Amino acid sequence: MATTSEPDGGAAAGLSRTYRDALLNDVLPFWQNHSPDRECGGYFTCLDRAGAVFDTDKFLWLQARQVWTFAHLYNTVEPRKDWLETARLGADFLAGHGRAENGSFYYALTREGRPLSQPWNIFTDAFAAMGFAEYGRAARDPRAVEIALRTYRLFEKRKTSPKGRFSKAVPGARPLESLALRMIHLNLLLVMGDLLEEAEARNTAIALIDDVLTRFRHPGLGILLENVPAGGGVSDTLEGRMVNPGHGLEVLWMALAAAERWGRADAIPLLVRSMLSVAEYGWDREYGGLLYRLDILGKPPMQIEWDRKMWWVFAEAILAFSMAYEHTRSPECLAWLERFHDYTWAHFVDPQYGEWYGYLNREGRPLQDLKGNRWKGCYHVPRALLESARALDRSRERRPRNQQAPGR
């Protein structure tokens, strides 16, 4: 259990120490020991419980995000040569093999770097831009920065039609807009903001924050919808009624960070209040933990995995409430942080082999004992551990904000 009997500052300090220790002595060694492909470049991400490779294909979401992780550690924690070399292994592989002729990045490659799928997913470009931007700073590599900026402009160009010619949708049939796209764009701005014109970054970030709080936030429930009609309101469809609590918390902490960075501190109370609403709405009152998908009318969600407990959801929840506590020193935010921490350490953490399990059933038992695949890699967990520790450290120095906000 987290130490709730201590004063708030003591509890935050204890959690911060736990997260730093887990990052440096458990999670990062797992990936550094098992993931690098020293022969062909890049990283293996399909790893079993003990770190053995069970598939050698390379999925570019995870390649790029692992570049970002190790470059970010180098830039913000300690300029360790091994971290920079790990980041370079992925950046060189992506630069040499990752792009199609139009400049967009493929989704998957063979171990050697041959394309397996077309560059259909705009998120691959987003993660590539993020990885090269962070690596460019770490290595002081202007070519990497150039790739990052060029890829960011491709992302901007594609965002109105993310899948382009690969989309199965009939144009204009049901124009829904995606929360996930706003989340990815906010994340890109947080990583790349200093590489863009300041006014461009600020205006884009503020527009995205306002979009999240006015169009995607349900006015009655205070939670975030995953898809909303282009013209506003709520779509009474499976897609339109869907709630993904993990995405909700992830985009809210990103919006909070952007609000502080670009002068929208007035939005922070409502962002924190929305985090509390999302957590309360998504918590599984029968078995504990946060449910993966919900329908706002209580109808059956369309995803059969709706009741699973996913590693990345809990990583993002810990980070969201660490940041919320940093800004408010609210006992309610600390209580939610401790609740997510206790569930995660009881169910996801593997003390024998390191890292976290990825997928639990509703009751909290691992469905598989893998540590990585085409979706789970070296990103959500280390990012959450590092940034949560920092937020909790800052909470001891920061003057709390009044977290009251109108509505839920």
Side-chain angles (χ1 to χ4, degrees):
M1 290 285 290
T3 311
T4 54
S5 60
E6 296 182 74
D8 288 356
L15 288 170
S16 175
R17 288 191 296 271
T18 296
Y19 297 151
R20 287 184 187 277
D21 178 71
L23 173 69
L24 296 174
N25 299 314
D26 175 41
V27 173
L28 290 179
F30 180 91
W31 292 101
Q32 283 192 283
N33 290 338
H34 304 298
S35 182
D37 182 352
R38 306 293 181 189
E39 182 179 340
C40 296
Y43 316 111
F44 300 117
T45 62
C46 293
L47 304 176
D48 70 12
R49 183 187 180 193
V53 177
F54 62 86
D55 190 90
T56 62
D57 288 345
K58 291 170 180 169
F59 307 97
L60 269 60
W61 284 28
L62 302 189
Q63 301 293 311
R65 294 197 290 192
Q66 189 160 334
V67 171
W68 176 87
T69 297
F70 280 95
H72 187 64
L73 289 163
Y74 180 90
N75 287 332
T76 63
V77 177
E78 182 182 352
R80 283 175 43 172
K81 182 179 179 181
D82 60 324
W83 286 348
L84 184 60
E85 288 304 314
T86 301
R88 180 176 288 117
L89 190 69
D92 287 350
F93 182 79
L94 288 171
H97 304 286
R99 287 174 290 179
E101 290 184 4
N102 66 357
S104 286
F105 281 78
Y106 297 110
Y107 171 71
L109 308 174
T110 66
R111 179 186 179 186
E112 297 77 16
R114 294 189 299 274
L116 288 169
S117 63
Q118 298 291 341
W120 62 272
N121 195 305
I122 188 176
F123 286 6
T124 315
D125 285 350
F127 294 131
M130 182 179 87
F132 278 107
E134 198 71 26
Y135 175 73
R137 294 188 193 97
R140 299 183 180 181
D141 183 344
R143 177 171 176 252
V145 173
E146 180 187 356
I147 294 172
L149 288 169
R150 187 184 305 125
T151 308
Y152 177 77
R153 296 306 176 195
L154 281 173
F155 170 87
E156 283 197 314
K157 183 178 179 181
R158 296 180 64 190
K159 69 183 181 182
T160 56
S161 179
K163 295 183 181 179
R165 64 188 178 91
F166 302 109
S167 176
K168 298 177 183 178
V170 175
R174 182 176 288 160
L176 296 177
E177 298 189 0
S178 163
L179 179 67
L181 191 59
R182 274 73 183 167
M183 178 183 72
I184 294 299
H185 203 167
L186 274 171
N187 189 46
L188 265 177
L189 292 172
L190 290 170
V191 173
M192 298 188 61
D194 63 326
L195 301 179
L196 306 173
E197 292 291 334
E198 175 62 20
E200 176 190 1
R202 181 181 62 252
N203 292 340
T204 305
I206 289 172
L208 288 166
I209 294 166
D210 290 341
D211 210 22
V212 167
L213 289 177
T214 58
R215 297 182 59 232
F216 287 88
R217 185 175 184 270
H218 192 284
L221 298 172
I223 59 177
L224 301 186
L225 297 170
E226 194 70 7
N227 303 289
V228 298
V234 178
S235 172
D236 188 11
T237 60
L238 286 169
E239 293 86 356
R241 299 194 304 263
M242 188 201 327
V243 177
N244 182 331
H247 267 171
L249 293 175
E250 188 174 8
V251 72
L252 286 166
W253 76 249
M254 291 176 181
L256 190 157
E260 181 176 39
R261 181 168 173 177
W262 283 294
R264 277 301 313 273
D266 60 296
I268 290 176
L270 185 54
L271 290 166
V272 172
R273 193 70 236 161
S274 299
M275 289 180 190
L276 293 166
S277 296
V278 170
E280 182 68 32
Y281 188 84
W283 188 259
D284 185 346
R285 288 168 177 76
E286 186 172 358
Y287 295 104
L290 208 62
L291 294 166
Y292 190 51
R293 306 273 185 170
L294 293 162
D295 182 290
I296 60 171
L297 297 182
K299 305 296 184 183
M302 61 179 170
Q303 293 84 5
I304 60 172
E305 70 274 16
W306 70 273
D307 63 346
R308 292 180 186 174
K309 311 295 165 61
M310 302 285 195
W311 89 99
W312 69 266
V313 170
F314 288 80
E316 300 306 327
I318 285 171
L319 178 48
F321 280 101
S322 294
M323 292 181 64
Y325 178 73
E326 172 199 351
H327 284 271
T328 66
R329 296 294 293 275
S330 158
E332 189 176 7
C333 291
L334 181 61
W336 272 108
L337 171 58
E338 291 179 318
R339 182 180 290 187
F340 282 114
H341 171 89
D342 291 344
Y343 186 94
T344 299
W345 254 248
H347 297 281
F348 281 101
V349 172
D350 181 0
Q352 183 174 357
Y353 290 102
E355 244 282 345
W356 294 12
Y357 298 114
Y359 307 90
L360 311 179
N361 65 13
R362 186 172 183 182
E363 293 79 10
R365 294 187 297 273
L367 286 163
Q368 299 171 316
D369 63 3
L370 60 80
K371 297 297 173 54
N373 56 16
R374 68 172 57 195
W375 305 112
K376 184 180 187 297
C378 184
Y379 178 63
H380 285 283
V381 174
R383 179 178 70 173
L385 294 173
L386 174 61
E387 300 304 335
S388 296
R390 285 183 171 154
L392 294 170
D393 289 345
R394 290 191 300 265
S395 73
R396 288 176 284 176
E397 307 297 330
R398 183 187 292 274
R399 183 178 177 181
R401 298 179 188 274
N402 175 7
Q403 83 269 23
Q404 296 301 314
R408 290 193 59 181

